Amino acid sequence: MDKKEMIKINDLNKSFGDLHVLKDINMKVFESDVVCLIGSSGSGKSTLLRCLNFLEKKDNGTIIIEGKEVDPRKDNLNKIREKVGMVFQNFNLFPHKTVLENIIEAPMMVKGMKKEKAISKAKQLLIKVGLEDKADVYPSKLSGGQKQRVAIARALAMEPDIMLFDEPTSALDPELVGEVLTTMKDLAEEGMTMVVVTHEMGFAKEVADWIVYMHDGKIVERGTPEQFFNHPTEERTREFLKATMLK
Amino acid sequence: MPSFSHFFQILTETKGVFLKAMLLTLELTAVSILLGIVIGLVFALLKISKVKVLEVISDAYVYLVRGTPLIVQIFILYFGISGIFLLPDFWAASLALALHNGAYISEILRGSIQSVDNGQLEAGRSLGMTKVLTLRRIILPQAFRRALPPLGNQFIISLKDSSLAAFISMNELFNVATTLGSNNFDEMTYLLIVAVYYLLLVALLTFVVNRFEQKLAVSDR
C-alpha cells in the first residue's frame, strides 16, 4: 500500500532581497517518514523548514500539505499550523509560564480544550519526555536539554500530523544532546512524520529514512542514509561528508 | 524657616483639609494612570502595526503631546474645549493628564514589546495561535513586566504633575497648600507640609509598583 503524501513541494523559490536562498526546491515527505535536511550554514535548509509552516513566505512554487495546496493569502494558516508542529533551535518556551502552562496554552486557547483534559494530556506528554516532575517549574530552572524536551511536548500537545525540528540540538551543551535525540528517536519509532534540520550525522544515519543534502539553496543529493553516507554520487556531497566526518 | 513645633502644629490642624485634597490628587492620578495605560497601549500597538497610516497617527500623537507643555494641554482642554462643550474641571484635568501620560507610556510599552524576542511570536504562531492571541497571551505579559520600572517612573511623574490641576482651580494638594499659605502669610510652612504629603504618596506608589514587580518576577525563581 502506498504511504500517504504528507508534504509535497514543487519548484519552491525564496529570496531575501538579492539573496536567492531557495532555488527550485522539489521534495516529498510521506507519512511516518523521517527526513533529515543537512548541509552547511547558509545552505537554505532552515529557510526551507520554515516555509513548511509558513513562518517564512515563499516567493513562488507550491506547498501541498496532506494533499491540499496551501495558499497563504486565502487559507487559514493557523489551522495548518495546528497540524504542523515546530521545535526551534532556541526552544522559545514562554518564560512567564510554568512547564505545564506552556503545554496547555495552545490546546486550551486554540482548540478550546477543557483545562482538566489539557492538564491530563500535558502530564502524559511530560511522562513521555521524562519530565513529569517538572510540571510546575518555570523554564528558567531547566537545563537546555530539558527545555527542548518541554518544547517537543508543547508541540505534541496540539496533536500534529507532522513535526518540524529546526536544529533542535544546536544550542545545547554536548552532554545534553543525547536526551533530546532519544526523545526524537522515540517519536520517530511511534510513526511521527518528521522533518529535521540537523548537524547530528549520527542521528541522521540511525533514525532518518531519507537524507536530503542542500548546498547553496539547492537540493544536491537525496537518498537513504546507506546510499547517502556510503555511496554519495555527487562530488559536492563527498566533500561535505569528508569535512563533517573529520570533526 | 518655621520652627518644628509650629510646623507640626499646622500639620495637625490642617490634617482634614489636606486629606481631602490628597484624595482628589489620588483620584486625578489614578484616572490619568489607568486611562494613560489604555491610551498608551493603543498607540504603542498602532506604532508597531506595520500599517503606515496607523504609524503616522501614533507618531503625530506622541510628537504633539511631547512637544507641548502639560499646562498648555490642560488649559486647552479646560478653556478651549469648553467653547464647544463644557468639560467639568476634574475631567479637563484628568483627561489632559491621561493624554499626556499616554504618549510617554506608549513609548515605554512600544520599547518593551519590541524587546521581546521574535522567537516568542514564532512559537505562538507555530502552535496555531493567531497574532492577536499571541500578542495578548505571550508577548504583552512579558513586555508589561519589562515595562514596569519605567512605568513606575512615569506613575510618579504623573502623581506630581497632577499639581498642575491647581491652575484650573482644582483643590488638590498643591492648590490647597498655596491658598492656605498665602491666606495665612505662611507659605513656607504649607509648602513643607504639602511636600510631606507628596513624599508619602510617592512612597506608597513605589511600594505598590515594587510589589507588583516582585509578583511578576516569580518566573525567575
Side-chain angles (χ1 to χ4, degrees):
Chain A
M1 201 181 80
D2 280 350
K3 282 205 279 187
K4 191 177 162 195
E5 219 171 62
M6 300 300 278
I7 301 172
K8 189 175 175 188
I9 303 167
N10 294 325
D11 297 321
L12 182 72
N13 278 279
K14 166 81 188 167
S15 297
F16 292 114
D18 290 337
L19 195 65
H20 197 174
V21 280
L22 293 178
K23 301 169 183 165
D24 298 321
I25 302 288
N26 287 283
M27 194 173 130
K28 281 180 189 175
V29 179
F30 291 95
E31 190 167 23
S32 298
D33 274 0
V34 176
V35 176
C36 281
L37 290 175
I38 63 177
S40 38
S41 301
S43 60
K45 54 197 192 309
S46 280
T47 306
L48 174 58
L49 193 78
R50 290 163 57 82
C51 281
L52 293 179
N53 71 348
F54 306 91
L55 284 179
E56 225 53 90
K57 247 190 264 169
K58 66 183 164 82
D59 293 341
N60 53 55
T62 54
I63 299 173
I64 299 164
I65 306 283
E66 298 186 51
K68 195 181 168 301
E69 186 182 336
V70 180
D71 182 347
R73 282 160 306 179
K74 288 192 211 134
D75 294 315
N76 183 350
L77 294 181
N78 301 317
K79 281 282 162 219
I80 293 150
R81 291 193 181 114
E82 285 179 36
K83 295 271 150 218
V84 185
M86 175 110 174
V87 173
F88 299 87
Q89 180 175 352
N90 295 319
F91 329 122
N92 292 340
L93 292 179
F94 307 135
H96 60 305
K97 292 180 180 294
T98 64
V99 165
L100 192 75
E101 288 164 350
N102 262 275
I103 300 174
I104 64 175
E105 175 71 16
M108 284 176 61
M109 300 306 293
V110 177
K111 286 189 164 174
M113 194 183 278
K114 288 264 182 303
K115 190 168 186 182
E116 301 76 52
K117 196 174 166 216
I119 288 177
S120 86
K121 187 163 173 51
K123 288 196 165 154
Q124 286 168 23
L125 285 167
L126 281 174
I127 292 170
K128 186 182 177 126
V129 299
L131 291 171
E132 59 272 31
D133 53 333
K134 300 288 184 193
D136 299 319
V137 167
Y138 283 96
S140 60
K141 277 279 173 239
L142 299 177
S143 72
Q146 291 170 333
K147 282 182 192 165
Q148 197 58 298
R149 286 186 282 155
V150 172
I152 292 171
R154 180 178 69 177
L156 290 176
M158 289 301 280
E159 301 181 321
D161 299 332
I162 302 165
M163 283 282 281
L164 309 175
F165 294 83
D166 189 4
E167 302 197 26
T169 58
S170 296
L172 298 179
D173 289 342
E175 74 270 23
L176 302 176
V177 169
E179 61 190 70
V180 173
L181 292 181
T182 306
T183 305
M184 289 168 61
K185 199 177 149 195
D186 292 346
L187 204 56
E189 278 164 6
E190 286 169 27
M192 176 61 79
T193 309
M194 293 163 58
V195 182
V196 185
V197 170
T198 187
H199 295 292
E200 298 293 333
M201 294 304 154
F203 176 82
K205 215 172 206 167
E206 189 187 349
V207 181
D209 297 297
W210 299 98
I211 308 280
V212 172
Y213 170 61
M214 290 183 70
H215 180 69
D216 197 22
K218 284 186 290 237
I219 293 179
V220 174
E221 182 155 0
R222 62 186 102 202
T224 62
E226 142 70 17
Q227 288 164 348
F228 181 82
F229 287 106
N230 300 337
H231 315 287
T233 56
E234 300 292 326
E235 181 54 33
R236 181 71 212 121
T237 313
R238 279 193 284 271
E239 279 170 33
F240 174 78
L241 287 175
K242 208 168 133 195
T244 49
M245 295 308 167
L246 278 178
K247 267 193 260 173
Chain B
M1 284 291 281
S3 70
F4 268 121
S5 58
H6 177 66
F7 173 81
F8 282 112
Q9 191 200 334
I10 304 288
L11 182 72
T12 327
E13 281 173 11
T14 57
K15 208 170 53 194
V17 62
F18 268 111
L19 281 179
K20 203 166 152 241
M22 186 167 82
L23 205 63
L24 184 57
T25 291
L26 270 178
E27 282 169 9
L28 284 167
T29 309
V31 172
S32 75
I33 287 177
L34 293 176
L35 210 54
I37 290 175
V38 175
I39 295 171
L41 184 59
V42 169
F43 281 96
L45 293 177
L46 293 186
K47 175 75 185 171
I48 59 167
S49 66
K50 290 186 182 139
V51 179
K52 196 72 204 165
V53 185
L54 302 180
E55 279 178 43
V56 170
I57 290 174
S58 180
D59 283 343
Y61 166 69
V62 171
Y63 175 66
L64 285 177
V65 169
R66 290 202 304 196
T68 52
L70 175 56
I71 188 71
V72 172
Q73 294 161 9
I74 292 175
F75 276 17
I76 286 176
L77 278 193
Y78 183 64
F79 295 115
I81 303 293
S82 64
I84 309 163
F85 61 91
L86 212 61
L87 216 49
D89 308 357
F90 177 80
W91 286 104
S94 42
L95 225 58
L97 283 166
L99 286 168
H100 187 80
N101 261 319
Y104 290 93
I105 291 176
S106 84
E107 283 292 278
I108 293 171
L109 291 179
R110 177 178 70 86
S112 60
I113 289 170
Q114 286 175 335
S115 79
V116 176
D117 183 57
N118 194 44
Q120 293 289 309
L121 179 67
E122 291 193 341
R125 303 288 277 150
S126 79
L127 289 165
M129 296 169 76
T130 62
K131 226 178 213 171
V132 174
L133 187 62
T134 311
L135 191 71
R136 183 163 69 80
R137 300 277 308 174
I138 308 300
I139 311 290
L140 285 182
Q142 295 180 56
F144 190 68
R145 196 192 139 193
R146 290 179 201 191
L148 260 183
L151 278 180
N153 248 343
Q154 190 59 35
F155 296 164
I156 288 171
I157 291 172
S158 60
L159 168 68
K160 293 184 295 183
D161 276 355
S162 70
S163 60
L164 291 176
F167 295 94
I168 55 170
S169 56
M170 296 235 70
N171 285 320
E172 47 66 68
L173 281 174
F174 181 66
N175 200 9
V176 166
T178 47
T179 308
L180 288 180
S182 60
N183 287 353
N184 296 302
F185 304 104
D186 192 8
E187 279 87 355
M188 188 51 86
T189 307
Y190 286 93
L191 285 175
L192 289 176
I193 287 172
V194 82
V196 169
Y197 281 101
Y198 276 115
L199 284 168
L200 276 174
L201 287 179
V202 169
L204 183 74
L205 199 55
T206 308
F207 175 76
V208 171
V209 171
N210 284 349
R211 282 301 292 268
F212 212 52
E213 231 176 289
Q214 280 165 11
K215 200 172 155 243
L216 292 184
V218 69
S219 58
D220 290 342
R221 286 200 290 273

